[in-house]
Amino acid sequence: MSSTQIDNGSANSAEAKKADMRMSEKKCSWASNMTNSPTVIVMIGLPARGKTYMSKKLTRYLNWIGVPTKVFNLGVYRREAVRAYKSYDFFRHDNEEAMKIRKQCALVALQDVKAYLLVEGGQIAVFDATNTTRERRDLILAFVKENAFKVFFVESVCDDPEVIAANILEVKVSSPDYPERHRERIMGDFLKRIECYKVTYQPLDPDDYDKDLSFIKVMNVGRRFLVNRVQDYIQSKIVYYLMNIHVHSHSIYLCRHGESDHNVEGRIGGDSELSPRGKQFAHALRDFIEEHELSDLKVWTSQLRRTIQTAEELAVPYEQWKILNEIDAGVCEEMTYEMIENAFPEEFALRDQDKYHYRYPGGESYQDLVQRLEPVIMELERQGNVLVICHQAVMRCLLAYFLDKSAEDLPYMKCPLHTILKLTPVAYGCKVEMFYLNVEAVNTHRDRPLDKIPRDSALIHRRNSYTPLSSHDRVKRPRLYSAGNQPWLPLAPTPSALMPEGRQSQESLCEGSDSDSPEETSGCVRF
Amino acid sequence: MLDNEEFMLDTSPRELTQNPLKKIWMPCKNGHIAQRRVCTTNCPTLIVTVGLPARGKTYISKKLTRYLNWIGVPTKEFNVGQYRRECLKIYKSFEFFRPDNEEGLKIRRQCALAALNDVRQYLSVEGGQVAVFDATNTTRERRGTIVKFAEQNGFKVFFVESVCEDPDVIAQNIVQVKLGSPDYIHCNTEEAIEDFMKRIKCYESSYQPLDEVLDRDLSYIKIIDVGCRYLVNRVLDHVQSRIVYYLMNIHITPRSIYLCRHGESDLNIQGRIGGDSGLSPRGREYAKSLRKFIQDQNINDLKVWTSQMKRTIQTAESLGVPYEQWTSLNEINAGVCEEMMYEEIQENYPLEFALRDQDKYRYRYPKGESYEDLVQRLEPVMMELERQENVLVVCHQAVMRCLLAYFLDKTAEELPYLKCPLHTVLKLTPVAYGCKVESVCLGVDSVNTHRDRPEFVWDRGLHWIRENR
């Protein structure tokens, strides 16, 4: 979906064909089920108010719960149109030449939004720009009406100078607009840029002009919210999500229980105890926690014995969550993979076809797991420092949320035993640090099989489910990335230990985008 | 907040033992279970309503209380109007509420304090988690008193203000809930309305709404025009966040919710629980009757929801309308007891069988679920039911009991024994502060799958460790 010329924004026919193919594979998440017309989320706010932060985070969340979402960042389009950024003068409202270019960029971006929502199977498009004037917003409203989309505005208002300064330092200083990295000059130029916008800024007016619009006004980084006319389920979820996220620094530690007796025997599921090596790991974990001097660390476990036993060693209070229990393998519980292959060869094959959507007979799928884990994610967003002691499939789901992994990659992410992942939100993404605690354990990972059956083969019939005749179309929404922007910070690659086999290590871990094969990214804007 | 247990450790690693009822692993030493201590960081919360009369404060209080109790947060509402009625015995007229009525003011203040006292009792002594203080609380002074009270007792405070100037809404309110109030039992409609409007006027002059600047350090939600707009300030914790989410999803548009089970299934006929069988011939007949019933009801824009089990889907298929499948609506997972008959369970798992009768709500099947788990799983369904208007939910016995318990405010003790027979549709219509229920039996025979609460509960005298409750 590459559109580098300003005057041509339409998708080419090859891309359209690919999108059609995807549309014909039909499977659906529970959240996606609940949304009908596509929605455009429109960000509003002066520069350095956290619009891009919220856009990316929201997009990552929506994709994780199965609602195909994509960000369209106007700055990216502008940088493409105007190769060399000279100074804040470009943003002066009386700079006619610049105003013309900026408007053109907006129109091109909107065309891409249209293509994404109507042709490529997208459900939600996040239009990330300042959108500070009524004139610009009216333009968007007209566009939305013309295409029968729903629209929801997210305005970020902040008058705390410290917050703004911190914002500028964290994400603007390293922006492509400022290659020389001379901090003070950058800060100066950027603040002048903000002043340019302030002159013409018309905030949403809930009492009069904008009283019929659907929006949320986020004030001072979530201290206060004004919510107006929420129309539907997805807007309600978006509001709930935005009200639960915060920007305080904190770290989330994910690890599995220590090696269990079943692990040693190669059995899946069940509720076995820790093996001797597992107990050793628990000890090592205790030392790890003490070393890292984590203030106010919350510890969460599942309700299965092996995680609780691990937590017991830590000698700190912990909370048990049933929803952190390992994926329910139904009739295959406590079997080894060999036993499953012998007893249920068809099921075994089906699982390899589409590991994310495959549901064990009488059990669950990864997709079910994501739905079950949503309250955990919401609570993790609210909390400070948390250590989550869980299980392989569960950890994969949680990790996929933080690292923005698709349904394709999620079930093959590497989450080895006796290894802790420390996730720290940074800029627009997440820094990952891996700590292997030097206690040996069996390897429970199964790689993606090499002779994978191509995706557009016959529909997989789900067990225990009657194929409905007159229900809605159940659309398989491919999880598209929330990419669209080049990484701005030179970042450490994803530890290759984490990546599914055969996939290159990411360059832009923090952005959550991937250097994917072309077929995966045909929906993305690439520059 | 959710179904979690928190433990304080005194010494190094302890053995784990599984509570036989809830199937939860708990640490114990020398056979003694670690005392479950209420975590001190989870202070009780005091929710305080704010608003002129007839703004829906009691409606919100009751609904919120019902919701919180259903998800397992012990909550109680304290309606100051009730206290006033206790004190005054006879309501004469709006004059009582005049701002210059010294005697009236004194009594009202006393009632508020009495109510706060009971709040303290409930939260600090009786183990309550949330108290809803339902009164007008329209002056900053009154609210200041409450905040101080909360601080002294270590409670968090969250205000819920309802602001509405739409005369139609207010009129509706008065007709629906005020006319039938004990205050107006001896008045005719016109008199009652006139008096009530004058009552509202008494409060208007001294009303100080929550202010963006003056009250910026308080935690609150301001609901404007019955949910058209919300202002949320300083949400402090998980409970408050859930409360805000709930309040933002409810509405008062008239609608009906239809609950029913799937048609009789093959396993039903065999007396077996769980499984994923198809409809029996009588079940299929029921589905056809259901179709006719729905058509006769002539419902505007009806949504139909099913679980992902064959029997509900087959039932919905007969309706010939689009429907949505929810995994969360699946029947309770009976774990190792799936597809067994009750007799078989009693024979093969006598201890489990006995335990279930002891506490059917909390009892978790081995490798399965409990009613308590079911409620947690159903919460998102509930939230969406609140958002929706006319919905038909085709589900299962245990699931239907949980949903019914929410709408009819049944306790955990009553829930697992609610009668939800096959081939019967329950039509729930919200009315005043509660829910009207109409039970429609569609005239198709079926087996009876209901087990009453047993008269005698077996204590087999086996050595299991009892949980301290």
Side-chain angles (χ1 to χ4, degrees):
Chain A
M1 184 62 255
S2 215
S3 159
T4 52
Q5 293 135 344
I6 290 176
D7 50 349
N8 171 23
S10 48
N12 59 45
S13 58
E15 301 303 339
K17 248 190 232 143
K18 218 159 266 164
D20 278 340
M21 246 163 47
R22 274 212 211 97
M23 291 285 274
S24 69
E25 288 180 313
K26 311 279 181 188
K27 248 177 251 136
C28 187
S29 89
W30 98 103
S32 190
N33 241 343
M34 305 294 297
T35 35
N36 14 47
S37 353
T39 305
V40 181
I41 299 178
V42 181
M43 307 300 296
I44 302 175
L46 294 172
R49 261 58 176 181
K51 296 185 299 298
T52 303
Y53 175 80
M54 280 195 285
S55 303
K56 287 182 180 248
K57 218 169 147 75
L58 189 55
T59 302
R60 178 161 54 88
Y61 167 70
L62 291 170
N63 275 314
W64 186 72
I65 62 172
V67 183
T69 309
K70 189 165 160 194
V71 178
F72 295 84
N73 178 293
L74 202 49
V76 173
Y77 287 78
R78 190 256 309 152
R79 268 182 283 281
E80 191 52 40
V82 180
R83 295 284 165 174
Y85 173 73
K86 298 220 175 63
S87 83
Y88 76 94
D89 282 322
F90 182 83
F91 291 98
R92 290 174 55 139
H93 71 284
D94 51 2
N95 180 340
E96 276 195 33
E97 176 70 24
M99 290 296 270
K100 213 171 95 175
I101 296 177
R102 290 161 70 192
K103 180 161 180 192
Q104 260 298 51
C105 287
L107 291 172
V108 171
L110 287 177
Q111 285 309 305
D112 285 353
V113 163
K114 180 171 166 176
Y116 176 68
L117 295 179
L118 292 181
V119 177
E120 295 165 31
Q123 190 90 54
I124 302 194
V126 182
F127 188 57
D128 178 17
T130 50
N131 298 316
T132 40
T133 59
R134 282 195 185 144
E135 186 206 340
R136 173 56 54 86
R137 297 197 291 266
D138 287 342
L139 179 93
I140 298 171
L141 283 169
F143 162 81
V144 151
K145 187 162 172 199
E146 187 188 310
N147 291 288
F149 299 149
K150 283 185 180 169
V151 66
F152 187 73
F153 293 91
V154 177
E155 181 173 24
S156 174
V157 175
C158 181
D159 47 28
D160 184 340
E162 277 180 33
V163 173
I164 297 168
N167 248 347
I168 297 177
L169 280 178
E170 209 179 327
V171 291
K172 304 298 181 188
V173 163
S174 38
S175 150
D177 287 340
Y178 300 107
E180 343 89 65
R181 292 171 176 275
H182 193 183
R183 267 200 189 179
E184 262 152 43
R185 273 219 298 143
I186 294 171
M187 182 69 83
D189 184 278
F190 204 84
L191 287 171
K192 292 210 188 88
R193 196 151 114 176
I194 297 179
E195 292 303 313
C196 294
Y197 281 93
K198 272 194 187 168
V199 179
T200 53
Y201 183 19
Q202 292 162 304
L204 286 176
D205 175 23
D207 296 315
D208 189 22
Y209 193 84
D210 300 302
K211 67 181 190 296
D212 292 326
L213 296 181
S214 298
F215 64 83
I216 178 172
K217 221 190 241 267
V218 179
M219 292 170 267
N220 281 333
V221 206
R223 180 151 305 172
R224 201 174 153 76
F225 300 91
L226 203 160
V227 181
N228 201 58
R229 293 192 185 269
V230 168
Q231 293 171 313
D232 61 14
Y233 171 80
I234 205 70
Q235 289 180 14
S236 155
K237 290 209 69 98
I238 289 167
V239 164
Y240 185 46
Y241 183 72
L242 290 176
M243 286 176 50
N244 280 314
I245 60 180
H246 66 75
V247 292
H248 307 127
S249 78
H250 66 136
S251 289
I252 293 164
Y253 297 80
L254 299 181
C255 72
R256 289 167 68 184
H257 51 84
E259 184 192 67
S260 71
D261 290 330
H262 271 13
N263 285 145
V264 172
E265 292 171 35
R267 293 177 183 279
I268 66 171
D271 193 14
S272 56
E273 299 195 61
L274 292 182
S275 70
R277 294 194 298 197
K279 291 197 182 113
Q280 256 187 296
F281 166 71
H283 273 116
L285 185 59
R286 179 181 184 152
D287 293 335
F288 174 84
I289 298 210
E290 277 170 16
E291 259 172 57
H292 281 240
E293 285 172 8
L294 301 165
S295 68
D296 248 355
L297 178 74
K298 293 233 162 86
V299 178
W300 296 353
T301 70
S302 70
Q303 283 189 348
L304 293 172
R305 212 185 333 196
R306 48 200 188 278
T307 57
I308 300 171
Q309 276 185 327
T310 310
E312 277 286 312
E313 290 283 327
L314 305 180
V316 294
Y318 57 89
E319 264 185 72
Q320 297 184 15
W321 296 58
K322 180 165 197 271
I323 50 183
L324 281 173
N325 279 9
E326 181 58 314
I327 191 172
D328 183 356
V331 299
C332 301
E333 277 282 316
E334 309 204 55
M335 296 175 105
T336 63
Y337 284 116
E338 294 73 38
M339 285 165 70
I340 300 175
E341 194 170 8
N342 286 331
F344 308 104
E346 270 169 33
E347 295 292 332
F348 195 74
L350 274 176
R351 189 157 203 250
D352 284 340
Q353 273 202 10
D354 187 350
K355 198 171 172 188
Y356 183 75
H357 293 100
Y358 170 82
R359 187 183 281 162
Y360 279 107
E364 295 175 300
S365 63
Y366 271 96
Q367 189 180 41
D368 295 330
L369 206 51
V370 163
Q371 179 177 2
R372 157 149 80 82
L373 286 169
E374 210 226 330
V376 175
I377 288 296
M378 203 59 90
E379 195 52 25
L380 278 174
E381 285 294 345
R382 293 191 53 81
Q383 293 286 346
N385 294 325
V386 185
L387 164 64
V388 184
I389 304 174
C390 54
H391 306 266
Q392 182 168 250
V394 169
M395 188 163 158
R396 282 171 172 158
C397 292
L398 297 178
L399 209 53
Y401 165 75
F402 287 106
L403 302 185
D404 203 14
K405 295 295 177 192
S406 70
E408 298 297 307
D409 290 338
L410 187 163
Y412 295 103
M413 292 183 76
K414 287 209 171 109
C415 295
L417 286 165
H418 300 183
T419 310
I420 304 165
L421 291 183
K422 175 179 176 181
L423 304 166
T424 314
V426 133
Y428 293 138
C430 220
K431 180 173 81 168
V432 191
E433 292 163 76
M434 265 182 97
F435 298 93
Y436 173 58
L437 291 198
N438 245 325
V439 177
E440 272 195 43
V442 298
N443 176 16
T444 57
H445 186 83
R446 276 190 79 243
D447 278 317
R448 197 194 302 262
L450 294 166
D451 54 352
K452 192 167 115 99
I453 295 151
R455 252 179 303 140
D456 31 34
S457 65
L459 257 177
I460 299 170
H461 290 286
R462 299 223 304 237
R463 265 212 55 149
N464 297 340
S465 172
Y466 189 75
T467 312
L469 298 173
S470 62
S471 61
H472 297 299
D473 257 348
R474 300 175 71 236
V475 180
K476 173 181 184 175
R477 315 277 187 183
R479 270 208 52 205
L480 301 166
Y481 296 100
S482 53
N485 300 324
Q486 291 293 343
W488 289 356
L489 304 171
L491 301 159
T494 316
S496 57
L498 275 186
M499 288 304 295
E501 279 288 307
R503 311 269 293 163
Q504 292 163 335
S505 168
Q506 294 174 2
E507 327 174 50
S508 52
L509 169 64
C510 276
E511 295 301 303
S513 62
D514 241 328
S515 47
D516 299 306
S517 55
E519 78 175 69
E520 307 271 347
T521 56
S522 58
C524 295
V525 181
R526 295 236 123 207
F527 292 91
Chain B
M1 175 87 225
L2 307 160
D3 183 30
N4 306 313
E5 319 266 312
E6 226 168 71
F7 299 96
M8 282 300 287
L9 270 172
D10 39 44
T11 50
S12 45
R14 306 166 295 184
E15 289 300 307
L16 289 183
T17 181
Q18 192 179 50
N19 167 282
L21 188 89
K22 296 179 76 164
K23 311 295 188 296
I24 291 187
W25 290 103
M26 304 183 321
C28 75
K29 229 172 164 93
N30 308 322
H32 296 291
I33 305 243
Q35 264 303 27
R36 192 206 321 178
R37 238 219 273 168
V38 174
C39 185
T40 47
T41 57
N42 272 339
C43 8
T45 305
L46 175 58
I47 298 177
V48 181
T49 61
V50 178
L52 294 172
R55 263 55 177 183
K57 297 183 300 299
T58 303
Y59 175 80
I60 290 171
S61 301
K62 290 187 181 257
K63 217 168 149 75
L64 193 53
T65 302
R66 179 162 55 89
Y67 167 68
L68 289 172
N69 276 314
W70 187 70
I71 61 172
V73 181
T75 308
K76 192 164 162 190
E77 37 139 4
F78 298 82
N79 178 294
V80 175
Q82 287 289 91
Y83 286 76
R84 189 257 306 157
R85 273 183 277 277
E86 291 283 305
C87 190
L88 261 201
K89 301 295 176 192
I90 299 174
Y91 174 75
K92 294 210 184 74
S93 81
F94 76 94
E95 305 269 352
F96 178 77
F97 291 98
R98 288 177 57 142
D100 54 2
N101 182 346
E102 289 289 335
E103 182 66 29
L105 283 171
K106 209 171 105 189
I107 295 179
R108 286 155 72 191
R109 191 175 167 77
Q110 272 171 6
C111 290
L113 290 174
L116 283 179
N117 230 353
D118 287 352
V119 163
R120 186 210 332 261
Q121 178 76 7
Y122 177 67
L123 293 181
S124 300
V125 176
E126 293 170 26
Q129 191 75 43
V130 178
V132 184
F133 187 67
D134 177 19
T136 48
N137 299 314
T138 38
T139 59
R140 196 153 280 124
E141 188 224 337
R142 170 58 55 85
R143 298 195 290 267
T145 309
I146 299 172
V147 170
K148 215 182 297 161
F149 161 83
E151 265 166 32
Q152 281 166 355
N153 288 285
F155 306 148
K156 286 185 180 164
V157 184
F158 189 73
F159 291 94
V160 177
E161 181 174 24
S162 175
V163 175
C164 180
E165 293 312 317
D166 184 342
D168 290 329
V169 174
I170 297 168
Q172 253 299 347
N173 197 323
I174 297 177
V175 167
Q176 270 214 20
V177 292
K178 304 300 179 189
L179 295 186
S181 149
D183 290 344
Y184 295 110
I185 225 165
H186 301 295
C187 301
N188 68 39
T189 306
E190 262 157 40
E191 287 169 354
I193 294 180
E194 198 188 319
D195 184 275
F196 201 83
M197 295 303 273
K198 291 208 184 105
R199 196 151 117 180
I200 297 177
K201 271 249 154 343
C202 294
Y203 284 91
E204 270 175 10
S205 54
S206 57
Y207 182 21
Q208 293 163 304
L210 288 171
D211 182 73
E212 188 169 327
V213 176
L214 294 172
D215 298 306
R216 65 177 173 281
D217 289 328
L218 298 179
S219 297
Y220 65 83
I221 177 171
K222 203 190 263 261
I223 303 172
I224 299 158
D225 289 335
V226 205
C228 184
R229 187 189 310 172
Y230 304 92
L231 236 145
V232 181
N233 200 58
R234 286 190 182 263
V235 169
L236 290 179
D237 62 12
H238 180 102
V239 182
Q240 292 180 14
S241 155
R242 293 287 284 276
I243 289 168
V244 164
Y245 186 45
Y246 181 72
L247 292 176
M248 285 176 47
N249 280 315
I250 60 180
H251 66 79
I252 57 169
T253 313
R255 50 86 172 251
S256 288
I257 294 168
Y258 297 80
L259 296 181
C260 73
R261 291 166 67 186
H262 51 83
E264 184 192 67
S265 71
D266 291 326
L267 283 180
N268 283 146
I269 294 181
Q270 292 175 42
R272 295 179 179 279
I273 66 173
D276 193 21
S277 57
L279 295 180
S280 69
R282 294 196 296 197
R284 283 195 284 275
E285 232 199 277
Y286 165 73
K288 292 201 196 105
S289 305
L290 185 61
R291 179 187 184 138
K292 181 151 194 315
F293 171 75
I294 295 293
Q295 283 168 349
D296 289 343
Q297 288 278 304
N298 208 3
I299 305 153
N300 187 22
D301 218 6
L302 179 74
K303 296 242 158 76
V304 178
W305 295 354
T306 70
S307 69
Q308 282 195 337
M309 298 183 136
K310 211 189 315 194
R311 47 199 190 278
T312 56
I313 299 173
Q314 279 183 329
T315 308
E317 277 290 311
S318 290
L319 303 180
V321 296
Y323 58 89
E324 271 183 67
Q325 300 180 13
W326 294 68
T327 332
S328 325
L329 284 172
N330 280 4
E331 181 58 314
I332 191 171
N333 184 350
V336 301
C337 301
E338 277 283 317
E339 303 203 39
M340 291 178 119
M341 298 189 282
Y342 285 117
E343 296 76 31
E344 284 171 1
I345 301 175
Q346 187 165 29
E347 206 182 296
N348 293 305
Y349 303 98
L351 178 59
E352 296 296 328
F353 195 76
L355 280 171
R356 187 157 205 250
D357 283 340
Q358 280 214 350
D359 188 346
K360 196 171 173 187
Y361 183 73
R362 284 169 199 88
Y363 170 81
R364 187 185 281 168
Y365 280 106
K367 303 202 179 157
E369 294 175 304
S370 61
Y371 272 96
E372 202 173 15
D373 296 329
L374 204 50
V375 163
Q376 182 175 6
R377 155 149 83 82
L378 284 170
E379 206 249 349
V381 178
M382 181 51 53
M383 200 60 85
E384 192 52 26
L385 267 176
E386 284 294 347
R387 290 192 53 80
Q388 291 288 345
E389 296 184 12
N390 293 316
V391 187
L392 164 66
V393 184
V394 181
C395 54
H396 306 266
Q397 183 168 251
V399 170
M400 188 163 158
R401 284 172 170 156
C402 292
L403 297 179
L404 206 53
Y406 167 73
F407 287 109
L408 304 184
D409 203 15
K410 298 294 181 188
T411 65
E413 275 54 55
E414 296 166 308
L415 188 163
Y417 296 102
L418 292 174
K419 288 217 166 96
C420 296
L422 287 165
H423 300 184
T424 308
V425 180
L426 290 182
K427 176 178 177 181
L428 304 166
T429 313
V431 124
Y433 294 140
C435 221
K436 182 172 81 165
V437 191
E438 292 163 71
S439 176
V440 184
C441 177
L442 292 197
V444 180
D445 270 339
S446 72
V447 295
N448 177 16
T449 57
H450 186 83
R451 279 188 77 241
D452 271 317
R453 191 193 302 264
E455 270 181 74
F456 301 101
V457 176
W458 292 94
D459 173 351
R460 304 286 293 265
L462 295 168
H463 292 296
W464 70 72
I465 306 163
R466 290 183 187 282
E467 190 188 8
N468 290 340
R469 286 238 222 112

